[in-house]
Amino acid sequence: MAYLMLDDDRSVVTTAPLPASVVAPCADPLPTDAPARLSALEWSVVALARKDRLWSLDKPGRIAKAMAVLFKPPHNHMLADERLEALRRIAVLGWHYGYTIPTEELKRFLHAGFSPAQYELMMDSIGVAKLRTAHR
């Protein structure tokens, strides 16, 4: 799109649009200075993950499936919502290992739509809760 610009001497100057490579990228859609927050539902997932064992992160193998046929199947800890399941997985690892999280799980967490600031908020909260229970 072009426009006309009139100078003081009333001569017409036309300006062509800038090529796409010169146009600056738009700002981040999520401001980085916004405070990190989790909803009440997300905090409840973090709290419930405290009691989950590490084996709840694995898919059942052949032997576990065969045992489920013979005996009562164990409770399925996986959540139906992918976003909340990514949060549960990272929270279970956080409750067991602290900040030592596998890169693949962290990528899954960020890909689910969470921010690094939300990750730090959750892990700090888990760390404080672990310290409080250690002093009792």
Side-chain angles (χ1 to χ4, degrees), residues 21-58:
S21 62
V22 177
V23 177
C26 64
D28 272 345
L30 298 172
T32 56
D33 59 344
R37 301 187 73 163
L38 292 174
S39 69
L41 176 63
E42 292 166 344
W43 279 118
S44 65
V45 168
V46 172
L48 289 173
R50 183 178 199 164
K51 296 182 180 179
D52 286 351
R53 301 283 181 208
L54 288 174
W55 60 262
S56 70
L57 302 178
D58 296 331

Side-chain angles (χ1 to χ4, degrees), residues 37-52 79 83-96 109 114 118-130:
R37 301 187 73 163
L38 292 174
S39 69
L41 176 63
E42 292 166 344
W43 279 118
S44 65
V45 168
V46 172
L48 289 173
R50 183 178 199 164
K51 296 182 180 179
D52 286 351
L79 301 175
R83 179 176 163 85
L84 293 178
E85 176 60 17
L87 177 65
R88 183 191 75 86
R89 293 178 66 84
I90 205 93
V92 168
L93 291 168
W95 282 111
H96 287 277
F109 178 76
F114 292 101
Q118 288 173 315
Y119 168 74
E120 290 182 15
L121 173 68
M122 180 191 63
M123 293 309 242
D124 289 345
S125 173
I126 289 173
V128 168
K130 286 168 71 173

Side-chain angles (χ1 to χ4, degrees), residues 54-82:
L54 288 174
W55 60 262
S56 70
L57 302 178
D58 296 331
K59 292 184 179 181
R62 290 185 302 164
I63 295 175
K65 289 178 184 177
M67 297 297 276
V69 170
L70 297 173
F71 303 105
K72 180 181 173 186
H75 176 69
N76 183 8
H77 293 272
M78 293 179 66
L79 301 175
D81 185 24
E82 290 182 23

Side-chain angles (χ1 to χ4, degrees), residues 4-5 10-11 17 31-32 42 45 74 89 98 103-104 111 119:
L4 297 176
M5 184 174 73
R10 297 289 186 207
S11 61
T32 56
E42 292 166 344
V45 168
R89 293 178 66 84
T103 306
E104 180 181 314
H111 183 67
Y119 168 74

